[in-house]
Amino acid sequence: MRKYLVIGNPVEHSLSPLLHNFWIKKYNLNAFYEKQLLEKKDIEKILSDMRVSKIHGINVTVPFKNTVIPFLDQLSDTAQETQSVNTIFKRQNKLVGDNTDVYGFSEAVKLTNFDPANKSVLILGAGGVVPSVLLALKNMGVDQITLSNRTKEKAINLKKNFPFLKVIDWGETIKSDLIINATSIGIKQNDEIKLDYTKLDGQLFYDVIYNPPKTQFLENAKNSGKKTENGKNMFIYQAMKAFQTWHGIKPQINDEVRDLIK
Ligand code: ATR
């Protein structure tokens, strides 16, 4: 039986096992998918298990998307550009780090019918998912990206790989067509980003969080008559691409799949 894993810390909340095992069953594959809580020191061992085919594929979540890189043999172009790996597979006995979050985010935005080409974007937060969001937006031809993070230093660090980024202070806003919450604010009830929503001109408000499905950020935007989208499709599409890489099958995304992710 082929073994697949998602590794992270924390990892308890991950819905990847639910989704991957659903598809594994649907396509009758001789495999299973589990979550594994890791410490940084355990990464080398888990990857050596993959080298000897005790494990056949790994998804990586916070906070290890960058930490795994030195233990891999190759990176895909997207993993290289983002310095962020969420999917590991083996090709010709080499461990390859890939990034399917970029694809997941692009597909999710396409599904909203908002075209970011030549538009301005404001990103709130500088957490693990942001490099992927930045590369996806760059590939979609955005005009300007401004980023604001509580710890400004982290925002400035992102400029090393994304020099076109404009950084503003936390609490400051700027009129933008697309506004993205990439902070973890909103996961807990009553968590709220203090923003003057009337000043934000946005056409689309996007939250990378999908649980809860409607954060206060999206609720406030919706109440101001804005179009909103949560992170559910990004999650489903990044998983789809990882599944396709490992099993050679493009799994179907339908209402049954969307209903799984609550
Ligand atoms: P990581 O930072 O480990 O990648 P993450 O969940 O991907 O974790 O990112 C958390 C993001 O939410 C960060 O941008 C964080 O801001 P800091 O860089 O200043 O820590 C942001 N965040 C979390 N709680 C916040 C709060 N109460 N106020 C403002 N920003 C917050």
Side-chain angles (χ1 to χ4, degrees):
M1 235 197 202
R2 292 164 70 82
K3 180 176 177 179
Y4 296 85
L5 279 182
V6 55
I7 59 170
N9 193 344
V11 76
E12 200 41 51
H13 65 281
S14 173
L15 295 179
S16 292
L18 185 70
L19 185 50
H20 281 272
N21 285 321
F22 173 84
W23 282 328
I24 283 172
K25 196 166 167 217
K26 176 168 177 173
Y27 296 101
N28 260 319
L29 303 175
N30 187 27
F32 65 103
Y33 186 115
E34 291 179 332
K35 51 187 152 195
Q36 189 156 338
L37 182 70
L38 281 196
E39 302 295 332
K40 194 177 167 185
K41 62 171 174 45
D42 306 325
I43 290 176
E44 192 164 10
K45 165 77 174 84
I46 209 106
L47 291 174
S48 63
D49 283 352
M50 194 167 165
R51 287 186 189 280
V52 295
S53 297
K54 283 189 193 162
I55 298 167
H56 298 83
I58 296 178
N59 276 143
V60 185
T61 187
V62 282
F64 301 131
K65 289 186 180 190
N66 177 264
T67 326
V68 293
I69 291 178
F71 303 103
L72 302 172
D73 304 316
Q74 278 176 13
L75 294 180
S76 68
D77 290 347
T78 43
Q80 181 67 40
E81 260 194 88
T82 52
Q83 287 296 296
S84 170
V85 166
N86 80 321
T87 303
I88 303 172
F89 61 91
K90 204 155 87 175
R91 281 285 180 281
Q92 287 149 357
N93 267 330
K94 292 208 158 72
L95 292 188
V96 186
D98 192 13
N99 176 318
T100 69
D101 289 329
V102 175
Y103 172 79
F105 180 77
S106 304
E107 290 305 297
V109 171
K110 272 187 214 156
L111 285 169
T112 69
N113 289 325
F114 173 83
D115 181 3
N118 304 313
K119 301 276 175 38
S120 57
V121 184
L122 172 63
I123 299 178
L124 307 166
V129 77
V130 169
S132 304
V133 168
L134 288 171
L135 180 59
L137 289 170
K138 181 183 154 196
N139 292 345
M140 288 189 276
V142 293
D143 177 45
Q144 172 68 54
I145 307 179
T146 308
L147 189 141
S148 156
N149 191 52
R150 177 179 62 181
T151 312
K152 196 173 184 181
E153 193 190 337
K154 267 173 91 185
I156 290 166
N157 264 337
L158 283 164
K159 281 169 76 82
K160 280 185 203 146
N161 285 331
F162 301 96
F164 52 82
L165 208 55
K166 184 177 166 207
V167 173
I168 58 173
D169 286 338
W170 182 243
E172 246 189 81
T173 53
I174 181 167
K175 274 194 174 185
S176 305
D177 301 307
L178 168 61
I179 293 120
I180 299 172
N181 175 32
T183 73
S184 47
I185 308 173
I187 293 176
K188 287 189 230 132
Q189 252 196 341
N190 304 324
D191 254 4
E192 191 175 354
I193 308 176
K194 301 271 179 280
L195 284 178
D196 186 350
Y197 288 81
T198 55
K199 269 197 193 158
L200 292 165
D201 207 25
Q203 295 162 34
L204 174 65
F205 283 66
Y206 183 98
D207 203 318
V208 298
I209 296 169
Y210 58 87
N211 186 13
K214 202 180 275 168
T215 56
Q216 200 61 49
F217 168 77
L218 294 186
E219 187 76 48
N220 290 343
K222 197 151 202 131
N223 290 342
S224 309
K226 314 289 188 182
K227 192 181 167 94
T228 62
E229 176 74 12
N230 71 18
K232 182 161 148 176
N233 279 329
M234 178 179 182
F235 173 72
I236 294 174
Y237 279 83
Q238 65 73 32
M240 185 197 94
K241 193 146 188 267
F243 190 93
Q244 193 179 8
T245 301
W246 292 329
H247 306 291
I249 295 168
K250 186 172 181 177
Q252 198 187 7
I253 293 174
N254 54 20
D255 285 345
E256 204 181 350
V257 166
R258 280 184 281 270
D259 285 348
L260 274 180
I261 311 306
K262 288 256 168 67

